[in-house]
């Protein structure tokens, strides 16, 4: 349950930063606006639901979600 609340809070904060444009302001202030963004994924799986029982769910990303991130 804690993991779900934490994930929900992080997603909410990220969305709020994006919608308000604060993420661009923060990037401009700290000079990272022109730097490339590097993302790391622990485990990308074809079927998230099937894999969730075998691995730590917070470490998983579905292939569909990875494709959405890249788009």
């Amino acid at each position: 349950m804690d993991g779900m609340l934490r994930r929900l809070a992080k997603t909410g904060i990220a969305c709020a930063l994006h919608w308000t444009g604060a993420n661009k302001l923060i990037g401009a202030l700290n000079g990272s606006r022109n730097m490339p963004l590097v993302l790391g994924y622990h485990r990308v799986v074809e079927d998230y639901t099937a894999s969730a029982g075998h691995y730590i769910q917070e470490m998983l990303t579905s292939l569909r979600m990875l494709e959405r991130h890249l788009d």
Side-chain angles (χ1 to χ4, degrees):
M1 185 71 160
D2 276 345
M4 186 183 343
L5 290 175
R6 182 177 177 187
R7 186 171 42 239
L8 182 61
K10 288 170 75 174
T11 300
I13 291 168
C15 288
L17 288 171
H18 175 73
W19 289 332
T20 63
N23 59 336
K24 291 180 182 177
L25 176 63
I26 292 168
L29 291 174
N30 72 15
S32 66
R33 186 174 181 185
N34 296 321
M35 296 179 71
L37 174 65
V38 178
L39 300 175
Y41 294 87
H42 292 279
R43 183 175 295 271
V44 177
V45 295
E46 191 94 28
D47 185 353
Y48 180 89
T49 306
S51 299
H54 303 288
Y55 302 103
I56 300 170
Q57 292 180 15
E58 288 79 8
M59 304 284 269
L60 297 176
T61 301
S62 69
L63 182 56
R64 181 173 176 236
M65 183 59 70
L66 174 64
E67 290 170 346
R68 289 177 58 197
H69 287 177
L70 294 175
D71 286 341

